[in-house]
Amino acid sequence: MTFDSKQVQDIPYREAGVPLAPAAPSARFMMSHPAHVMALGFGSGLSPKAPGTMGSLWAWITFVLLQNRLSELQWGLLIGLSIPLGWWACTVTARNMRVMDPGSIVWDEIAAFWLVLWLVSPTGFWGQLVAFGLFRFFDAVKPGPVGWADQLFHNVDPTTDPAAWRKAGWGIMLDDLVAAFCALLVIALWRVW
């Protein structure tokens, strides 16, 4: 089953004033739309335990595999495109799941962790492991600015706000970008110290 943009806009969030049950993430759901494939991290978000960690691991593995194959410019373009495309994919997938911030959406972790790895390079396994640990800490614990970014669009109501799903999609991406910034800040301070 595939959706065109008109069908995606017509997916109901409520029926007769009653919220519809969220759509469960599954391989079938993932394969029903290209945005789902991307947002669910090519399947890494379907992990029943710690999907955000699985998405971050997927990002790390793909980074290592592509690290010597892509130039700095190509990495910059890939990451630069992964953010607006991720916003679109997260928006469509959250709307189709009828959940403002589903845990199975992991593209936000992938794009943000690619950014971290790209900016801390060149570094070896241990440097990448530290970056992974810091990023996962800030993303999971959500201290300070990460928590603020995470809650920024959680109170939008799709029944009254026509832009609610776009806001939710951006909110999904934003807290991980802030977590990436915090991880990079700690790494930069550590390197200076």
Side-chain angles (χ1 to χ4, degrees):
M1 177 178 181
T2 60
F3 296 101
D4 64 26
S5 60
K6 174 79 171 101
Q7 287 172 311
V8 169
Q9 293 172 353
D10 292 340
I11 292 174
Y13 181 69
R14 292 179 181 262
E15 202 168 90
V18 178
L20 294 174
S26 65
R28 182 181 177 128
F29 174 82
M30 181 179 72
M31 297 308 292
S32 70
H33 195 288
H36 301 172
V37 175
M38 183 177 179
L40 298 178
F42 300 92
S44 60
L46 297 177
S47 172
K49 296 198 185 208
T53 300
M54 293 300 115
S56 300
L57 284 172
W58 190 92
W60 190 2
I61 291 166
T62 56
F63 182 85
V64 168
L65 292 173
L66 296 174
Q67 159 177 0
N68 295 323
R69 292 188 166 97
L70 298 179
S71 69
E72 288 296 311
L73 177 62
Q74 289 169 324
W75 268 113
L77 289 172
L78 176 64
I79 293 166
L81 287 173
S82 73
I83 294 169
L85 286 174
W87 179 11
W88 165 78
C90 293
T91 298
V92 170
T93 305
R95 178 176 171 82
N96 292 349
M97 292 181 78
R98 297 182 291 275
V99 178
M100 285 297 176
D101 190 356
S104 57
I105 291 181
V106 296
W107 188 258
D108 48 336
E109 278 89 2
I110 292 169
F113 193 51
W114 276 348
L115 178 64
V116 171
L117 290 172
W118 180 53
L119 292 176
V120 300
S121 291
T123 189
F125 171 78
W126 295 110
Q128 291 178 357
L129 182 63
V130 167
F132 179 82
L134 285 169
F135 175 71
R136 289 308 306 142
F137 168 78
F138 283 109
D139 186 34
V141 177
K142 300 190 186 317
V146 184
W148 168 82
D150 181 56
Q151 293 300 313
L152 196 58
F153 296 111
H154 273 219
N155 294 325
V156 293
D157 183 355
T159 61
T160 59
D161 185 350
W165 293 110
R166 285 191 306 276
K167 291 176 183 176
W170 178 242
I172 290 168
M173 295 292 297
L174 182 62
D175 71 302
D176 288 87
L177 293 171
V178 175
F181 172 78
C182 291
L184 288 165
L185 182 61
V186 169
I187 292 167
L189 291 172
W190 177 61
R191 286 180 173 176
V192 168
W193 180 66

